[in-house]
């Protein structure tokens, strides 16, 4: 079996006998010499390059994306008989780490401190004697109510970190109950939970049902002192409504690692929105355990066994 590995990260999977690995330049169109491959690992290829080869690989049996969300591979149009597996689990810790950093940056008012530093101003309002729970924006995770919308593997990795810092964490998922020791509700209870949230962390995938899931109505359900953090997909937030909420003081602040259009256009209103922290899709970008996943799935494919992270289509 011919397996193609991208050069966008160091990959050295311990492949089983019968699998021959070939490298390819993920920044360029796939060369014709590799269109006979039976397996393709994707990381860093553009949507255009994927779409260009999706229907031109007659022997292709399996596509392994190293991204947690398979939306780019699914959108490329690979035939229905091609098995697609995602990189779910490879980004749990890096994305959770970044989400925690964004939450702490907001509640500990680091953007305001950065502005004061640029002004060469010692910001007395940010330091010195401070109430633990002041009126207005929440400034600590101690006793804070954090709602994690999208309580999959990344959410379940993040939740204990937040709890360790004193937060009361609840999740929103497709089914209610207890998950990894945390209470989880369904979206039927979302707006009630939003009304009690001090911090909302979004880790939703990009699907038709999640498009602009955080809209003006749901933003209005949040308390005015609440912060919003999104490390899922940019399409899940109504960006115009978010800007309006920030300008009007409907919420205290927001941090976005993802936007609907990436790179963010220079004329986007997000750049100038008050109390908004932006990072350039930096939460992931470094899959952990990719070699093991590729090797395990390659062996399973050869043996006719179930692969990990199969995407239902």
């Amino acid at each position: 079996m011919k397996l193609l590995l991208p050069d966008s990260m160091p990959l050295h999977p311990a492949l089983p006998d019968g699998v021959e690995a070939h490298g390819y330049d993920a920044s360029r169109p796939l060369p014709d010499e590799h269109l006979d491959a039976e397996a393709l690992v994707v990381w860093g290829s553009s949507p255009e390059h994927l779409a260009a080869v999706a229907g031109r690989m007659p022997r292709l049996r399996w596509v392994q994306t190293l991204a947690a969300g398979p939306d780019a591979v699914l959108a490329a149009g690979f035939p229905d008989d091609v098995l697609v597996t995602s990189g779910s689990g490879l980004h749990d810790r890096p994305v959770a780490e970044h989400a925690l950093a964004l939450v702490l940056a907001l509640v500990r008012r680091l953007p305001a401190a950065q502005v004061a530093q640029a002004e060469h101003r010692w910001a007395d309002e940010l330091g010195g004697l401070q109430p633990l729970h002041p009126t207005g924006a929440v400034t600590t995770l101690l006793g804070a109510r954090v709602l994690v919308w999208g309580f999959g593997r990344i959410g379940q990795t993040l939740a204990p970190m937040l709890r360790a810092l004193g937060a009361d964490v609840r999740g929103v998922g497709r089914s209610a109950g207890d998950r990894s020791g945390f209470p989880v509700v369904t979206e039927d209870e979302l707006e009630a939970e939003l009304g009690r949230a001090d911090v909302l962390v979004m880790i939703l995938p990009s699907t038709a049902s999640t498009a602009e899931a955080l809209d003006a109505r749901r933003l209005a359900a949040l308390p005015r002192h609440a912060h919003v953090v999104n490390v899922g997909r940019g399409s899940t937030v109504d960006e115009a409504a978010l800007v309006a909420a920030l300008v009007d003081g409907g919420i205290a602040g927001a941090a976005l690692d993802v936007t609907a259009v990436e790179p963010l256009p220079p004329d986007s209103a997000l750049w100038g929105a008050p109390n908004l922290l932006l990072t350039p899709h930096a939460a992931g970008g470094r899959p952990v355990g990719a070699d093991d996943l590729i090797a395990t799935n390659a062996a399973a494919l050869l043996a006719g066994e179930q692969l990990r992270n199969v995407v239902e289509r």
Side-chain angles (χ1 to χ4, degrees):
M1 181 174 73
K2 182 176 180 178
L3 170 70
L4 302 182
L5 296 174
D7 66 355
S8 44
M9 67 173 290
L11 289 170
H12 306 284
L15 296 170
D17 292 340
V19 178
E20 181 182 344
H22 295 262
Y24 73 95
D25 185 346
S27 68
R28 301 178 60 84
L30 193 68
D32 288 351
E33 67 190 83
H34 289 322
L35 295 178
D36 62 344
E38 296 169 75
L40 172 66
V41 177
V42 175
W43 182 242
S45 295
S46 71
E48 294 77 16
H49 290 165
L50 290 176
V53 299
R56 299 175 56 224
M57 302 180 71
R59 301 181 63 191
L60 188 66
R61 300 167 58 194
W62 164 49
V63 176
Q64 171 70 66
T65 175
L66 300 184
D71 38 295
V73 167
L74 296 181
F78 288 97
D80 291 342
D81 61 349
V82 174
L83 197 63
V84 174
T85 53
S86 78
S88 175
L90 303 183
H91 304 271
D92 297 354
R93 285 174 289 174
V95 175
E97 179 182 63
H98 196 82
L100 180 62
L102 294 180
V103 170
L104 287 172
L106 290 177
V107 300
R108 299 316 301 256
R109 300 183 285 185
L110 297 190
Q114 187 66 42
V115 171
Q117 180 181 343
E119 297 172 347
H120 294 199
R121 181 177 66 85
W122 188 259
D124 290 314
E125 72 278 11
L126 302 179
L129 304 182
Q130 298 283 325
L132 183 60
H133 298 294
T135 301
V138 60
T139 60
T140 180
L141 284 177
L142 292 170
R145 295 160 298 188
V146 180
L147 186 64
V148 180
W149 188 4
F151 207 67
R153 296 182 54 149
I154 295 171
Q156 291 170 62
T157 301
L158 173 65
M161 301 178 185
L162 296 166
R163 176 184 278 172
L165 294 173
D168 175 15
V169 185
R170 296 172 70 84
V172 181
R174 278 175 275 196
S175 59
D178 183 276
R179 202 171 302 168
S180 298
F182 293 88
V184 177
V185 302
T186 65
E187 287 194 12
D188 292 340
E189 301 179 59
L190 175 61
E191 291 189 30
E193 291 295 334
L194 289 174
R196 293 188 285 265
D198 297 313
V199 179
L200 170 65
V201 180
M202 299 182 63
I203 320 178
L204 293 174
S206 177
T207 67
S209 63
T210 63
E212 297 191 348
L214 185 64
D215 55 15
R217 178 172 55 86
R218 286 171 169 164
L219 281 163
L222 287 163
R224 298 177 72 87
H225 66 258
H227 296 294
V228 173
V229 172
N230 186 15
V231 292
R233 287 290 185 265
S235 61
T236 64
V237 174
D238 181 337
E239 292 176 349
L242 179 66
V243 170
L246 290 166
V247 169
D248 297 342
I251 59 173
L256 303 179
D257 183 57
V258 288
T259 55
V261 177
E262 296 179 2
L264 187 64
D267 60 351
S268 171
L270 291 172
W271 291 112
N275 302 314
L276 176 62
L277 176 61
L278 290 167
T279 55
H281 207 137
R286 60 210 80 178
V288 178
D291 282 337
D292 179 65
L293 178 62
I294 295 167
T296 298
N297 277 347
L301 186 68
L302 285 183
E305 298 173 351
Q306 180 70 24
L307 277 67
R308 284 169 52 189
N309 298 346
V310 172
V311 177
E312 298 296 332
R313 296 203 280 166

